[in-house]
Amino acid sequence: MATESTVTAPPTAVERPRPPGSGLSIGLARAGWYISLTLLAVVVLFPIYMLVIRAISDPISFINAGQPLHIVSAQWDVFSRAWSDAGLARAMGVSAVATIVIMGAQFMTSVLGAYAFAFLEFPLKKLLFAIVIGTLLLPIEVTLVANIQTVRSLGWLNSVQGLTFPFLATALGIFLIRQGFLGLPRDLRDAATLDGFGHIGFLFKVAIPLAKPVIGSFLVISFLSAWNQYVWPRNATTEGAWQTVQIALRTLTTTRVDQINLAFAGAIIAALPLVLLLIFFQRQMVRGLTAGAVKG
Amino acid sequence: MSITVESSPDGATKRTGQRVREALLGWAFLLPAMAIFVTFFYYPLYRLIDMSLHRENRFGTAAPYVGPSQLVDTLSGSDFLEGVKHSGLYMVYTVPLGILLGILLAVAANRRLKGIRVFQTIFSSTVATSVAVASVIFFTLVNPEVGYFKDVSWLSLSNPDTALFSVSLSSVWQNLGLTFIIVLASLQAIPTEVEEAAALDGYGPVRHFLRITVPLISPALMFLAVVLVVAALQAYAQIEVLTNGGPGTSTQTLLFKIADPQGIRPLGIRASMSIGLFALTAIVAAGQYALLSKRVHYGD
């Protein structure tokens, strides 16, 4: 490690005189690392590569050709067929609406709750905080059977309310943003009071702007978990028209073998929003995913 | 929030008024979240217990009270215990392998090389897949009809002895991005002075890694273990997409039996199993808490 950290320029740019052989061994070590990294990258990417060539290949021809590692009888229209004929456009729309509703509501409920715990004094504060913590023991998988009954009796199966309501508030958001608020200097609140800010003015004009990094990280996590949901929308929808994109993917895998590449193309389409998220919000994503894992 | 406090010359009353206003504001701010938590987190727990105490008739038209017998029978019955066993196996298959591969990728990519960013991006890439997408991806690899590895016996989804393991590999792969990101972040958070001081001790690379690096990244590894254990308990889409619980019942995890996509279990049984899952979740959480507060080295 120590030797490599000094090597930042390519070998031709090395100016210092070196003992004979050391340039070569460093070069060999570096080649070794590149080979290992490339092998690991191939292992990680192979499943994705298979998905892409299988999506584009005609399914029957691909199997008859003995499952080669390249595209067979390309069907480039598979993406447009998956989008329109197989109903992914509608499913993506349902997912988008549900995700936006969940993110917007989680932002509001988390920011308000976090502010109450960080900046306000009120009776029963400890009890209410315990109620928030307690929800961590009650994930949707545990409450699924009962919540489906609730949603059914409210007439909310196959509706945006049904898809979103159990997720409009989350302990994680309240925790993370409360931590962000607690990290703000205490004097800030006093100064804001002197400037004539009430609590609501302070929250929206000072606290939220200053806690933007942590709120941004939380929103990325919120997006990821809302978009990727499976168990709940699978049970809260009974009609194809209300399937989210994740559920539609599963339905596509049950179609005939000669149409199976629609499911593969669908998986690529369903992953695109997350790929864009990863490209444009990489920093927030890493910070959100590592929240709690690494101190400081 | 329309409470107006009479401005009085007496400062003490005014402070009381402010306190009341602050309390009302605090409750008002928490009201929306609490409404959701009560309706969709705590009330369902009560409902599950209530449902477990009632047994539906064959047509689902009536559910008379039967007391705790149904709950006790379910939680000691072979169907539930098989679900627990499969969920436990899923943990055994995914958690240690997931952590090891995360460490492998992160150690390999934690160095200054030209183009290392490309490798780091590739290793993180699976975070852009949902469970359903990862399941479809593995469908192309292990599906018994069209999968690339359909003839590889130890990956066979048609064999009850290998199917659950084969499904679990989709989780391992899907979790790679997350485990990589978390281990890499914790490696990069190790202060350079610590590394330099350790280099002076003259440890070889393996001893250095086990004695210095692993203890320093242990909080991240614990966090990962927690995340992966919870993910294993909640595995569902992989199973529905890849095997639909089969062959036989060999890939029916506890959650699969609770969600019951084929609709073969009465509501009272599914509610009873949910209470079992709740108990397991609580045990896992308690275990995490104990481990986190005792064994793990936290820097300041």
Side-chain angles (χ1 to χ4, degrees):
Chain A
M1 299 288 290
T3 52
E4 276 138 16
S5 63
T6 61
V7 180
T8 47
T12 48
V14 174
E15 288 150 33
R16 275 181 300 138
R18 291 175 164 281
S22 78
L24 179 68
S25 66
I26 289 176
L28 272 180
R30 212 186 310 167
W33 280 116
Y34 277 122
I35 292 168
S36 319
L37 286 163
T38 305
L39 284 177
L40 290 171
V42 167
V43 171
V44 172
L45 290 181
F46 178 74
I48 299 174
Y49 175 76
M50 283 308 286
L51 179 76
V52 174
I53 66 163
R54 295 295 298 266
I56 298 166
S57 299
D58 170 62
I60 301 296
S61 312
F62 187 84
I63 293 168
N64 290 342
Q67 310 223 51
L69 285 172
H70 54 78
I71 294 168
V72 180
S73 316
Q75 296 186 334
W76 294 101
D77 66 336
V78 67
F79 295 101
S80 61
R81 279 191 292 131
W83 180 256
S84 43
D85 305 350
L88 271 197
R90 161 98 196 176
M92 291 282 276
V94 173
S95 279
V97 170
T99 301
I100 289 167
V101 169
I102 290 172
M103 279 179 76
Q106 286 191 349
F107 171 77
M108 282 312 295
T109 55
S110 301
V111 159
L112 292 177
Y115 188 85
F117 286 125
F119 287 110
L120 300 175
E121 284 310 320
F122 48 90
L124 305 179
K125 189 172 170 179
K126 283 205 170 128
L127 173 74
L128 291 169
F129 197 64
I131 289 178
V132 175
I133 294 179
T135 63
L136 295 176
L137 286 176
L138 295 162
I140 194 69
E141 289 78 11
V142 167
T143 54
L144 176 74
V145 173
N147 273 334
I148 288 296
Q149 292 300 106
T150 303
V151 164
R152 187 194 307 272
S153 60
L154 289 167
W156 285 359
L157 289 180
N158 305 309
S159 73
V160 174
Q161 306 92 286
L163 284 172
T164 57
F165 252 71
F167 309 98
L168 298 188
T170 161
L172 180 72
I174 294 177
F175 282 150
L176 282 181
I177 298 173
R178 171 178 165 270
Q179 285 303 112
F181 284 166
L182 288 175
L184 302 179
R186 289 268 101 188
D187 317 348
L188 219 54
R189 175 73 198 117
D190 303 332
T193 313
L194 288 180
D195 286 346
F197 280 126
H199 281 292
I200 296 194
F202 176 67
L203 169 61
F204 285 98
K205 298 218 173 85
V206 181
I208 291 179
L210 286 177
K212 245 193 227 154
V214 70
I215 293 175
S217 306
F218 166 65
L219 286 179
V220 170
I221 297 301
S222 169
F223 178 92
L224 269 183
S225 53
W227 184 265
N228 288 347
Q229 268 188 34
Y230 188 91
V231 175
W232 178 257
R234 172 80 176 95
N235 286 275
T237 57
T238 55
E239 295 164 11
W242 285 96
Q243 285 184 349
T244 62
V245 69
Q246 313 293 338
I247 311 305
L249 282 187
R250 185 222 147 238
T251 310
L252 283 177
T253 61
T254 61
T255 52
R256 300 202 321 264
V257 171
D258 62 338
Q259 301 275 310
I260 196 70
N261 59 339
L262 288 176
F264 306 155
I268 295 172
I269 294 172
L272 279 183
L274 295 194
V275 173
L276 294 178
L277 187 80
L278 188 65
I279 292 171
F280 292 110
F281 295 95
Q282 196 169 17
R283 220 154 32 98
Q284 284 84 349
M285 195 150 163
V286 169
R287 208 171 328 121
L289 292 174
T290 53
V294 183
K295 262 192 149 186
Chain B
M1 289 296 75
S2 57
I3 292 177
T4 50
V5 178
E6 300 277 316
S7 60
S8 85
D10 180 5
T13 1
K14 200 179 164 205
R15 249 178 279 131
T16 315
Q18 266 180 351
R19 256 205 312 250
V20 171
R21 266 214 309 229
E22 194 172 315
L24 289 175
L25 193 65
W27 288 335
F29 275 10
L30 282 169
L31 186 66
M34 288 300 159
I36 297 294
F37 291 156
V38 169
T39 317
F40 292 104
F41 288 74
Y42 291 97
Y43 170 68
L45 190 58
Y46 160 78
R47 283 284 290 146
L48 286 177
I49 295 169
D50 187 55
M51 284 154 80
S52 74
L53 299 176
H54 293 80
R55 185 173 316 208
E56 273 187 324
N57 65 10
R58 228 167 353 129
F59 313 100
T61 47
Y65 178 84
V66 292
S69 62
Q70 174 172 246
L71 180 63
V72 172
D73 290 349
T74 303
L75 296 189
S76 55
S78 57
D79 200 23
F80 173 77
L81 293 176
E82 184 193 55
V84 172
K85 182 183 140 200
H86 290 159
S87 292
L89 277 175
Y90 208 85
M91 275 179 213
V92 172
Y93 293 153
T94 56
V95 179
L97 187 59
I99 293 175
L100 279 177
L101 290 176
I103 294 175
L104 178 70
L105 292 179
V107 168
N110 183 33
R111 57 198 66 250
R112 292 199 196 170
L113 285 175
K114 241 189 161 183
I116 196 69
R117 279 300 195 97
V118 176
F119 291 104
Q120 291 177 348
T121 305
I122 291 172
F123 295 168
S124 330
S125 62
T126 72
V127 290
T129 61
S130 65
V131 186
V133 168
S135 307
V136 173
I137 288 176
F138 268 67
F139 191 97
T140 70
L141 300 179
V142 295
N143 178 268
E145 280 181 82
V146 301
Y148 190 72
F149 296 120
K150 65 179 155 79
D151 300 321
V152 178
S153 61
W154 56 278
L155 289 175
S156 171
L157 289 184
S158 332
N159 180 346
D161 295 328
T162 54
L164 190 66
F165 174 73
S166 189
V167 173
S168 79
L169 288 181
S170 74
S171 291
V172 171
W173 178 82
Q174 197 220 343
N175 292 333
L176 278 182
L178 179 71
T179 52
F180 167 72
I181 287 174
I182 288 172
V183 180
L184 183 68
S186 68
L187 285 175
Q188 290 176 340
I190 297 176
T192 40
E193 311 93 73
V194 176
E195 291 286 349
E196 281 160 10
L200 294 178
D201 287 344
Y203 283 161
V206 174
R207 272 229 295 189
H208 173 92
F209 181 75
L210 293 177
R211 293 273 182 88
I212 312 288
T213 312
V214 168
L216 283 171
I217 63 171
S218 58
L221 299 184
M222 266 314 298
F223 174 81
L224 259 189
V226 168
V227 170
L228 295 181
V229 163
V230 171
L233 265 184
Q234 299 177 347
Y236 178 79
Q238 308 88 321
I239 294 154
E240 197 180 15
V241 169
L242 291 173
T243 65
N244 209 14
T249 57
S250 62
T251 53
Q252 291 192 1
T253 56
L254 181 52
L255 180 59
F256 188 89
K257 289 173 190 286
I258 289 171
D260 196 28
Q262 289 123 338
I264 50 179
R265 294 175 188 83
L267 214 48
I269 304 260
R270 295 168 61 205
S272 302
M273 287 183 168
S274 301
I275 294 172
L277 179 62
F278 171 64
L280 285 180
T281 308
I283 292 169
V284 168
Q288 286 159 12
Y289 183 78
L291 270 173
L292 282 172
S293 50
K294 271 190 199 157
R295 301 245 333 257
V296 175
H297 172 272
Y298 275 105
D300 285 318

